[in-house]
Amino acid sequence: MYNNKVGISAKRVCRCAVAMVAALVMLCACSTKKNTAGVRFYHATTARFNTFHNGLMAFEQGSEAQYKGHKEDYTQLLPMYVSTEKATQTLGKSNFETAITKCEKAIKVHSIKKRPETKGNKRMTPKEKQYLARKEFNPFLYRAWLLMAESQFRKGDFIECASTCSYIMRLYATQPEVANVARALLARCYVALEWPYDAEDVLSKMSRDSLAVQALREKEQTQAAFLIETRQYKEAIPYLERSIKYAKGKLQRSRLKFLLGQLYYETGDYGMAYKSYGRVIRSNPPYELAFNARIKQTEAVTGDRSRQMIGKLRRMAKSDKNKEYLDQIYYAMGNIYMGAQDTARAVGAYEKGVEESTKNTTAKAVLLLRLSEIYWTRENYIDAARTYMACVAVLDKEHELYDEVKHRSDVLKELAPHLTAIHLQDSLQALAKMDDEGRNAAIDRVIEALKKKEKEEEKKREAAETAQRGNQSASTPSRPKDQGVTAVSKADWYFYNHNTLEQGRKEFQKRWGKRQNADNWRYSSKEGLPESASVAQDSALNEVVKPDSVIDVTQ
C-alpha cells in the first residue's frame, strides 16, 4: 500500500515537471525576441483579451461618465467633443488614466520589433518588402496606441495626445490605414488647442491620400470641428451631416443634430434649422436637450407659426416640469415678439423671464443681456442700469462681451441716481400742476399698482413657504450631535464672491431701496423715533418714496 502511494506521488511530480518544462518551452518560443507566425498570434491574442480589454472597459466607463456629467451651454454652439470643455475634462479622469496605463503595459509586454527571418536566395515581392519595412510586427498593437491617444484626448492632455499621434505616424509609416487615423487625431488636437493653421495643414495633406473607412470618418469629424472653430459654418454643414451618421451613441447623435440646427440658424437657413431641431426632439433625447431644441425652434420660426409657438410656450410655462426653465421660455417668447417687431411685448416677456428666474445660469445672463441692449438702444438708461448691473452679477467673466457689459454697468451705476432724481422731480412737478381730478387719478393708479404688487409678492411668499414645509416634512435630514460645522472654502464665502455680492446688493435695493449705513435704516421716515436714532434725518425725504415704486404720473 505504501509503495503504491509513493508511485502515485512520483507520477504526479513527473507530470508537473513535464507541464512546467512545456510551459517554459512555450514561453521561450513565444518570446518577443522571435518573430514567427505563432509568436505573432500569441502576443496579439494575449494583448487583445488581457490588458487591452481592461483598458477598453475603463475607457468606455470614463466616456459614459463624461457624457452624463457634461453640462451643455445651449446659448453657445455646442462643442463637437465634450472633452474640449475644461469643466468636463475632470470627469472620468481616473478611468482614462487606467486605460492609458493598460495600453502602455500592452505595448511594453507584447511589442515585436524583430524582423522575421527570410531566405536569402528568395526574390521578394513589393508587398513582402513593405511588410519587412515595418517597425512593429504585432498585428493588433496599433489598437492599443490609438486607444492611448484617444484616452489622452478625453482627459484633456492635448499636447501629450499630439505627441502620441506623431509617434504613431512614424511607427506605422508603412501602414497608411493606421497612420491616417493618427493624422486625423493629430488635427483634432490642433483644433482643441486652437491652432487652426496647423490643423488645416494636416487636413490638407490627408486630402491627397486614399483613406480607409476609419480614417475617413475621423477626418470628416475633424474637418467639421475645424470649420466650426474657424467660423466657416456653411462649409461645415456637409461634414457635420456625414459625421452624424458615424457618431457612436444616441446622445452624441442628438447633440450633433442640435449643433447642425445651430449652424443652419447661423447661416440664415431658418427652415432647415427648424427641421434639425425637430429631428432632435423626435430622437427622444434627455429632457433638457429636447426642451432646448423646442426653445431654439421658436427662434427659427416663421411668421405663419408665431401665434402657434406662443401658445405652445404658454402651455410649457404652466407645466410644473418646466419651473426651472421659465427664464428660457419667456426669453423665447420675447424673441418671437421681436421678430414680429413688437418691442413692447418683447420687453414684457423678457422682464417676466427675469422675474420668474430661479437660478443664476447662463440662460439668465443672456436674457438680461438682451433686455439691457434694448433699454440701451432706446436710451432708457434707468432700466438699463438695473439690468446691466444684474447681468454683470451672473455673466461669466470669460464671456466675450463681459468687459463691455462691465464698463456700461459702471457708467450707468454713476448716472442712474441722477436720472432717477430728475425723473422723480419731473413726476412730482407734473403732479403738482394737475387739477384735483387728474392728481387723484394718478394717485389711485400708484395705489392700485402697489396693492397689486403686494398681493403678488404675498402669493409667491406663501407658495414658497408651502413648498418649503412640504420638503421638510417629506425628508428632514438628521445631523449627528458630534458633527462639526462644514468647512467653507474662501472662494465660496459671501464676501469673497463678487457675483454673490452684486446679487445681494441688487436684492437689498430691490426690497429696501437705497439706505444709508445708519441706525434704524429700515425706517423710511424716522419721525417720532428717539433723537439718537435720527442720525440720517437729512436723507429722510429721499427715503419716503422708494425708487422701484416711482411711477410716471404723466402717463
Side-chain angles (χ1 to χ4, degrees), residues 217 221 238-248 253 256-257 279:
R217 292 179 178 180
Q221 294 178 5
Y239 293 101
L240 183 58
E241 287 178 337
R242 291 193 289 270
S243 298
I244 293 173
K245 300 177 183 179
Y246 308 145
K248 296 181 180 179
R253 284 194 296 271
L256 295 182
K257 290 175 184 176
R279 290 171 60 193

Side-chain angles (χ1 to χ4, degrees), residues 310 313-314 317 328-338 346 349:
I310 289 290
L313 288 170
R314 293 190 187 280
Q328 298 180 56
I329 293 174
Y330 287 107
Y331 174 73
M333 286 186 189
N335 292 337
I336 295 175
Y337 287 133
M338 285 296 292

Side-chain angles (χ1 to χ4, degrees), residues 122-135:
K122 182 181 177 181
R123 188 173 183 179
M124 293 185 292
T125 63
K127 188 175 181 180
E128 291 175 337
K129 291 180 180 179
Q130 184 180 10
Y131 178 79
L132 292 175
R134 290 183 179 184
K135 297 179 180 179

Side-chain angles (χ1 to χ4, degrees), residues 422-434 545 551 553:
I422 294 171
H423 180 74
L424 174 61
Q425 293 301 321
D426 289 344
S427 298
L428 293 176
Q429 289 180 22
L431 188 65
K433 293 177 182 179
M434 288 181 180
V545 182
I551 297 180
V553 297

Side-chain angles (χ1 to χ4, degrees), residues 198-259:
D198 299 273
E200 185 178 16
D201 179 63
V202 174
L203 291 171
S204 63
K205 291 178 180 178
M206 290 185 67
S207 63
R208 295 192 294 267
D209 300 330
S210 58
L211 303 177
V213 176
Q214 185 180 359
L216 179 62
R217 292 179 178 180
E218 290 290 343
K219 196 251 182 183
E220 297 277 357
Q221 294 178 5
T222 305
Q223 187 79 43
F226 164 73
L227 293 171
I228 293 172
E229 178 67 24
T230 54
R231 300 182 183 275
Q232 302 179 58
Y233 300 138
K234 190 173 183 179
E235 292 79 3
I237 289 175
Y239 293 101
L240 183 58
E241 287 178 337
R242 291 193 289 270
S243 298
I244 293 173
K245 300 177 183 179
Y246 308 145
K248 296 181 180 179
K250 176 181 174 181
L251 178 59
Q252 178 65 355
R253 284 194 296 271
S254 299
R255 288 185 67 259
L256 295 182
K257 290 175 184 176
F258 190 97
L259 176 59

Side-chain angles (χ1 to χ4, degrees), residues 390-547:
C391 184
V392 169
V394 297
L395 188 65
D396 188 358
K397 291 184 178 181
E398 296 183 359
H399 195 278
E400 58 183 358
L401 296 177
Y402 179 82
D403 293 336
E404 181 181 353
V405 171
K406 183 69 168 61
H407 175 69
R408 290 185 178 183
S409 175
D410 294 338
V411 172
L412 292 173
K413 186 177 179 181
E414 298 293 331
L415 183 63
H418 305 290
L419 295 176
T420 303
I422 294 171
H423 180 74
L424 174 61
Q425 293 301 321
D426 289 344
S427 298
L428 293 176
Q429 289 180 22
L431 188 65
K433 293 177 182 179
M434 288 181 180
D435 55 9
D436 292 340
E437 183 178 355
R439 187 182 300 111
N440 291 333
I443 294 173
D444 290 339
R445 288 199 302 270
V446 174
I447 293 173
E448 288 297 324
L450 290 175
K451 285 182 178 180
K452 183 179 179 181
K453 184 177 180 181
E454 288 176 357
K455 287 182 180 180
E456 291 178 354
E457 291 179 351
E458 184 64 25
K459 287 182 181 179
K460 288 183 180 180
R461 193 180 299 110
E462 289 177 356
E465 290 176 356
T466 303
Q468 186 176 6
R469 286 196 298 267
N471 293 335
Q472 290 178 351
S473 60
S475 59
T476 304
S478 58
R479 181 179 176 180
K481 294 181 179 180
D482 57 344
Q483 183 178 357
V485 179
T486 304
V488 180
S489 65
K490 182 177 180 180
D492 293 334
W493 194 45
Y494 181 87
F495 294 102
Y496 284 124
N497 193 317
H498 172 74
N499 291 342
T500 309
L501 278 175
E502 287 289 332
Q503 189 69 17
R505 184 185 60 79
K506 182 64 182 175
E507 292 295 329
F508 179 87
Q509 290 184 357
K510 182 179 179 181
R511 181 174 181 181
W512 298 101
K514 294 183 179 179
R515 304 299 175 99
Q516 288 190 353
N517 186 14
D519 294 337
N520 297 302
W521 56 267
R522 293 178 179 81
Y523 294 96
S524 296
S525 176
K526 299 181 175 61
E527 188 176 341
L529 293 175
E531 207 173 297
S532 59
S534 304
V535 181
Q537 284 287 348
D538 56 339
S539 62
L541 180 60
N542 294 331
E543 301 295 341
V544 175
V545 182
K546 296 181 181 179

